[in-house]
Structures are given as C-alpha cells and as structure tokens.
Amino acid sequence: MANTVQDLRRTLKRGDLMSIAVGQIIGSGVMVMSIVALGMTGRSVNIAFVIAAILTCFGALPTIYLGSTIRLLGGIYSQAAIFVGERFAGYYSVVQIFSSMSQAMFATGLASYLGSLVPVVRDNQLIFGILFYIAFVILNLMGTDKMAKAQQFMFYLLVIALIMFTAFGLPKVHWAGYFGNELFDAPLFSNGISGLLEAASYLTFATGGATVVVSFSSECVNPTKDIPIVVIVSTVAVAVLYAFMATCIGGILPAPQVMEAGNLSVIALEIMPAPCYYFFIICGACFALGTTLNSSIGSAIKPLFAAAADGWFPVVFTKLNKNKVPYAWILTFAAVNIVALVSGMNISMLGKLVLFIGNVNSFILVLGAMKLPKLFPEAWAKSPFHVSDAVLKGSLCCTLAVLAMQAYMNCKGQPTWVLIANACMFIFAWFYSGAMLKSGKVHVTANYELA
C-alpha cells in the first residue's frame, strides 16, 4: 500500500526548524558562491549580499503569508496544486528532480575546503566529494529526527566559527580605501552596476534557503506559527552576518588572490592563529556546506513524496523505510548528483542553472498565492500576518518584479547550452505532467490542514 504525507512523524519544533533554515542558508553562499560573486562585482560583494537579502525577503513573502495560514502537508507541491493547478503541480515535481543537482555543489565545496587541510582530499576532490554526499544520504535515511539532531550539532559550532572569522577579519580590513577605487588597484564595482546586480541575483541562492522549512510542514509540531517566524528571523540574522563576512572577503586580500584559491581558507589563514584556522575550516566551512547539503536532501524529498502519493511517479517512490523516510527519492537524488559530480560541472554554471529554474517556478507560485483570500478567507483573516487585499497584491507584485529581474540577470551571459537545457527541462516536465493527467493514474489530493 502506498504511503502518504500523513504517515510522516511530526517531531520538528521551532529550534529544529531554525537550525535547518540557518544551515540551509549558510553554506554554498558565503563559502563557495561568494567567491564567484567576488569575480562578478569585486569588493562590492558585501553590498551585493545586502541587496540579495532584500530581494530574498520579498521572495519569502508568499511563504510567510501561506505558512501562517495553512499547514501545507506536501510543502511546495501542495502549494502548487492548491493555488496554481494540478498540471503545474506535476510539472513542478519533475523540474525539482533536475533542480536537486545543486546538492552536488555543496559536496564539491566541502571537499575543496577540507582539502586545504588534508592533502589526500585536495588531490582526490572528486572521490571525496562523492563520499561526503553518500555520508549525508545515509544520515537522511536514518530519519528526520536524526537528521535534525545532526543539523543542530553542526549548526551551533558553525555559528561560532563564522562569528570568529568575522571578529578576526574586521580589524584586518583595509577600511581607509575600501569604498574607493584604488585599494588593490581595483575599483569598488569591478563590473559596474550591472555586475553588482548580477552578483546580487546570483547570491539570492545564498540568502534564500530559509523557505525550505515549508517542505517540512508535515513533520512540524506547529508549522503555522513556527515557519513564518523561522523564515524571517533566520534570513535577517544571516544577512547581517553575511554583510560583515563579505567585507572581510573583499577587503583583506586582493580579489584575484582569493578567486585563485577558490575558497575562504586563504583569508582565514591570513587572519587567524593556527588552532582557530583549523576550527574555522572544519566547523565553519565544512559544517556550513554540510548543514546545507543535509537540509537540501531532507527538504527536496518531501514535495516529491507527496507528488508520488498522488500518482505522478511510480509507487516505489511512496515507500518508506523503517525510519519513515522516502528512501527511493533519496537514492534517486544520489544518482543524479553523483552524475553531476563526475561530469565536472562548473559551480557557477550549476548554481545559475538551478537559480533560473527556481525563478520561473517561484514567479508562477507567487501569482497563485494571490488567491489566498479567496480560497481560505477565514483562515487568512486569523493569520498573524494578515494584511488587506491591496497590500497583499501590492507586496506580491513587488515579489514578481524581483523574480523577473533575478531571472533576467541569471540568464544574462549564459552559454547557449544552459538556456537550451533549461528549455528542454521545462518542455519535458510540462508534457510529462499532461500525459500523466490523461493516463488517469494521477489523483491530486488537497494536502493541507487549517491552522
């Protein structure tokens, strides 16, 4: 018999969600993607992070509004089905399988940082990247409660390490010339305003991870109260920390030197004594990427599990192991990401490929979210984040404008093959969802509970 989202254990509290959200945000952003953004905009990478955080807050509005009103048992899949339509829900599910390739980026970054301490890892990054990915796959197969406990352990040490990096780094920043155009013989905006906006759009992937907690709605004790608060607090707190860290990234060493290293270890080595440096690499860099990889695997499977229960995928994807985990989805992600690792995909390309997919899907989901007052008038009226219809539509229109700008910036300058790959994914997912609906095998259920 097929399992459904009702069979998942409701064990996650606000503290668990906070560690998942912060762990998801802090990871590839400041540890890996910040280096790519440094190449896009130079020292102004800290300004890019601030802009990215503002854009992220607009992007999180639908999650805050919806998450405070109803429990979306199937996460974003349920949101897609309820507020947009059945075919879009199927399309979204298929596209999410391709989007999971971003997990390979975290495993690659983890191996890169540990390689700065351990030569054998540095010389065999591909092999260790695969091994790290498999380790987190096993952890997630052990159950959401075990995954959350490991997340919290890494989370506390991670925060200490990042604050330590900032505390050591800020006094070493070349403040006198930072906001001028002469420090390191480089301008503040290395590629002008266009480069700044491109970097900010790219870094929304780094600041926008908090909304993944909606995928754990079916396993939360009190999702309508906890999810909105967690999204807001985690996003703002990490954005402040990121701004200070990014100042250290751009203002201590010349950008080319940092970009050549490919990670923050070269800065950490410059500003920290040896014991602190080792702590930062292991508990800061490695745990940052580890928490993101851990929560990415856990959050990605929930919407797809709900989709499989509705018939979009073979029944094997509805099976749970003894720990109440949809093991077939985790193993599928493992296969997809190991292929991505072996292919040697460029981190910047991989990040932008996933970002554009997310921008398009989010745009459609935001349009659907405007139906909230019509579909759930009583529950919405009771929401602590309730606003008038005019404010709701106005704020969501701002979100749409932000998403449109991000999509444009993420497409800008991309190789033709990346755009073709995106188009092929969209087309395949749309026709697949249409074919499955016509087959009669799909029966979309209203997977939600009122607050």
Side-chain angles (χ1 to χ4, degrees), residues 149-338:
K149 285 184 173 61
Q151 189 81 355
Q152 281 200 346
F153 171 76
M154 292 187 288
F155 163 73
Y156 292 124
L157 293 176
L158 163 63
V159 171
I160 293 171
L162 297 190
I163 292 175
M164 185 177 69
F165 176 89
T166 306
F168 275 105
L170 287 176
K172 302 291 181 65
V173 171
H174 297 279
W175 292 105
Y178 192 99
F179 294 101
N181 291 315
E182 297 179 358
L183 181 61
F184 305 133
D185 295 321
L188 176 62
F189 302 98
S190 60
N191 289 301
I193 298 301
S194 176
L196 176 67
L197 293 177
E198 183 181 7
S201 297
Y202 180 65
L203 290 173
T204 54
F205 188 84
T207 56
T211 54
V212 301
V213 293
V214 76
S215 295
F216 293 93
S217 294
S218 58
E219 295 165 291
C220 293
V221 175
N222 197 347
T224 53
K225 290 185 178 180
D226 292 343
I227 286 178
I229 296 299
V230 166
V231 170
I232 295 169
V233 173
S234 62
T235 299
V236 173
V238 173
V240 172
L241 179 59
Y242 269 4
F244 286 116
M245 288 190 69
T247 303
C248 299
I249 294 169
I252 294 175
L253 295 174
Q257 186 176 340
V258 179
M259 285 158 43
E260 182 180 0
N263 57 53
L264 302 186
S265 63
V266 63
I267 300 176
L269 189 60
E270 179 78 13
I271 64 176
M272 295 178 177
C276 294
Y277 170 74
Y278 296 137
F279 181 83
F280 171 75
I281 294 298
I282 295 172
C283 297
C286 293
F287 279 10
L289 290 153
T291 53
T292 302
L293 177 55
N294 188 34
S295 60
S296 291
I297 295 173
S299 63
I301 61 176
K302 302 307 187 302
L304 291 170
F305 172 65
D310 283 351
W312 292 105
F313 304 104
V315 70
V316 66
F317 290 105
T318 67
K319 302 297 183 182
L320 301 175
N321 65 11
K322 64 179 182 180
N323 300 312
K324 297 293 184 179
V325 174
Y327 63 88
W329 279 120
I330 292 182
L331 296 177
T332 298
F333 290 156
V336 170
N337 280 277
I338 288 173

Side-chain angles (χ1 to χ4, degrees), residues 22-86:
V22 174
Q24 176 70 21
I25 300 171
I26 299 177
S28 66
V30 75
M31 296 299 173
V32 178
M33 297 179 80
S34 62
I35 309 300
V36 178
L38 186 65
M40 294 176 179
T41 194
R43 268 194 321 284
S44 56
V45 66
N46 55 354
I47 301 174
F49 264 118
V50 172
I51 296 173
I54 294 171
L55 298 179
T56 297
C57 289
F58 278 107
L61 286 176
T63 300
I64 295 169
Y65 291 148
L66 300 181
S68 65
T69 304
I70 58 177
R71 179 197 288 264
L72 293 163
L73 294 172
I76 299 179
Y77 167 76
S78 294
Q79 179 183 341
I82 295 167
F83 292 93
V84 182
E86 294 183 352

Side-chain angles (χ1 to χ4, degrees), residues 335-377:
V336 170
N337 280 277
I338 288 173
V339 169
L341 285 168
V342 173
S343 70
M345 233 181 203
N346 179 278
I347 286 180
S348 176
M349 293 294 183
L350 187 58
K352 286 199 171 186
L353 179 65
V354 173
L355 272 172
F356 182 67
I357 293 172
N359 292 150
V360 173
N361 290 343
S362 296
F363 194 92
I364 299 171
L365 287 168
V366 172
L367 287 173
M370 292 187 180
K371 300 177 184 177
L372 178 61
K374 180 179 179 181
L375 296 179
F376 301 98

